[in-house]
C-alpha cells in the first residue's frame, strides 16, 4: 500500500557516515534501512519506526554447479552466519 505522500528530495546521501552528521547538524531528516543502525554514540538523534513497514530480502548468489574458492566459501558461510544471527537478535530485541 502506498501512502501517496509527496516529498521534495534535495540531497541524496549514499552512506550513513555522511548522513548522520548532516541530520545531527539540523540539515534535514532521513529514511534508512534498519541495517544502517545502530546510530553513532554521542549524537542527539532519534529513530522512529515507519508504518507500514517495508521489508526486503537480501540474497546471496553464486554460479550453479561451480565450487567457490576457499576464500569465497569462507565469506559465503560468514555472511550466512551473520544474517542468521542478525535475524535472531532483531527478533529478540528490535534496533528501535
Amino acid at each position: 500500500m502506498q501512502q501517496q505522500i509527496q516529498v521534495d528530495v534535495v540531497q541524496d546521501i549514499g552512506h550513513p557516515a555522511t548522513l548522520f552528521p548532516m541530520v545531527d547538524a539540523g540539515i534535514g531528516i532521513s529514511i534508512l534501512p534498519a541495517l544502517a543502525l545502530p546510530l553513532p554514540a554521542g549524537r542527539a538523534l532519534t529513530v522512529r519506526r515507519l508504518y507500514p513497514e517495508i521489508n526486503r530480502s537480501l540474497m546471496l548468489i553464486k554460479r550453479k554447479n561451480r565450487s567457490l574458492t576457499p576464500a569465497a566459501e569462507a565469506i559465503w558461510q560468514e555472511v550466512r552466519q551473520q544474517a542468521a544471527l542478525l535475524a535472531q537478535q532483531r527478533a529478540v530485541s528490535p534496533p528501535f
Side-chain angles (χ1 to χ4, degrees):
M1 173 176 34
Q2 300 231 346
Q3 299 299 314
Q4 305 302 320
I5 297 172
Q6 298 293 323
V7 296
D8 182 20
V9 177
V10 295
Q11 184 72 38
D12 189 2
I13 304 297
H15 198 277
T18 305
L19 174 81
F20 293 142
M22 293 177 74
V23 173
D24 197 25
I27 295 173
I29 63 171
S30 182
I31 297 173
L32 299 169
L35 286 173
L37 299 174
L39 293 173
R43 298 226 183 251
L45 302 174
T46 302
V47 175
R48 297 283 185 252
R49 183 182 299 264
L50 296 178
Y51 293 99
E53 267 187 39
I54 299 172
N55 293 298
R56 63 183 177 174
S57 297
L58 302 177
M59 307 288 178
L60 286 170
I61 301 172
K62 63 180 179 178
R63 288 188 65 172
K64 193 186 318 184
N65 302 321
R66 294 287 298 264
S67 301
L68 295 173
T69 65
E73 181 64 34
I75 291 171
W76 181 273
Q77 294 304 324
E78 183 65 24
V79 169
R80 291 186 67 193
Q81 185 180 28
Q82 290 299 316
L85 180 61
L86 180 62
Q88 183 181 33
Q89 288 173 341
R90 294 255 165 101
V92 173
S93 177
F96 42 87

